[in-house]
Amino acid sequence: MRQAFLLFSHQLTKSQQDELENKFKVDKIIYLPSDLQSIWSNVPPELPSIKDYLEEIFCWLKEHSKPNDIVLVQGEFGAVFLTANFCIKEGLVPIYSTTRRDVAETILDDETIQTKRNFIHVRFREFEKWD
């Protein structure tokens, strides 16, 4: 059984779930527990290093995952970098979502510009290790 662990701040779309199940052969999708989700979604910008801050998440992943499980990693840039590296070291497969962005701008009567952005999931992509 292959699992997918979700380290991001959204709910999966139907197309994302289908891709995890069909392309990546995932049988079980696991969201972070609420206490760890709070850690992931609120990385303090004041900290000079966040390695210790993320330690509970790394411990949880070690405890619940097995080699070749998928980890969807999206969020604060430094946390993503550390987590993707951690996953590769642990034999997990870190991935991220690629999107197409459709943007529409409207000039309002008061001459301000209103922007609407739609993000459309295209595919998941594996983080790659630079050799």
Side-chain angles (χ1 to χ4, degrees), residues 54-102:
L54 296 173
E55 188 62 31
E56 284 184 66
I57 292 173
F58 296 157
C59 288
W60 181 79
L61 278 172
K62 277 185 182 181
E63 184 178 326
H64 293 90
S65 67
K66 62 186 181 317
N68 207 37
D69 278 345
I70 298 293
V71 183
L72 174 58
V73 187
Q74 291 193 204
E76 195 269 345
F77 186 80
V80 168
F81 180 82
L82 285 170
T83 304
N85 281 305
F86 167 84
C87 289
I88 291 168
K89 179 179 166 237
E90 294 295 318
L92 303 171
V93 180
I95 63 171
Y96 60 97
S97 177
T98 65
T99 59
R100 182 177 56 252
R101 292 161 176 83
D102 291 336

Side-chain angles (χ1 to χ4, degrees), residues 15-28:
S15 65
Q16 288 174 321
Q17 183 173 334
D18 289 346
E19 185 177 354
L20 286 173
E21 292 170 351
N22 297 317
K23 179 182 175 191
F24 290 94
K25 306 301 181 205
V26 166
D27 302 301
K28 186 175 183 181

Side-chain angles (χ1 to χ4, degrees), residues 2-15:
R2 191 176 203 192
Q3 304 174 107
F5 294 88
L6 307 183
L7 277 65
F8 76 145
S9 298
H10 308 286
Q11 296 292 312
L12 285 179
T13 64
K14 177 74 171 121
S15 65

Side-chain angles (χ1 to χ4, degrees), residues 100-111:
R100 182 177 56 252
R101 292 161 176 83
D102 291 336
V103 179
E105 290 186 348
T106 305
I107 299 175
L108 303 177
D109 291 341
D110 65 357
E111 299 204 17

Side-chain angles (χ1 to χ4, degrees), residues 14-53:
K14 177 74 171 121
S15 65
Q16 288 174 321
Q17 183 173 334
D18 289 346
E19 185 177 354
L20 286 173
E21 292 170 351
N22 297 317
K23 179 182 175 191
F24 290 94
K25 306 301 181 205
V26 166
D27 302 301
K28 186 175 183 181
I29 296 171
I30 302 168
Y31 285 87
L32 282 170
S34 60
D35 57 331
L36 297 181
Q37 184 65 56
S38 181
I39 290 170
W40 185 256
S41 297
N42 297 291
V43 176
E46 302 82 14
L47 294 177
S49 171
I50 57 172
K51 207 171 186 181
D52 290 340
Y53 177 81

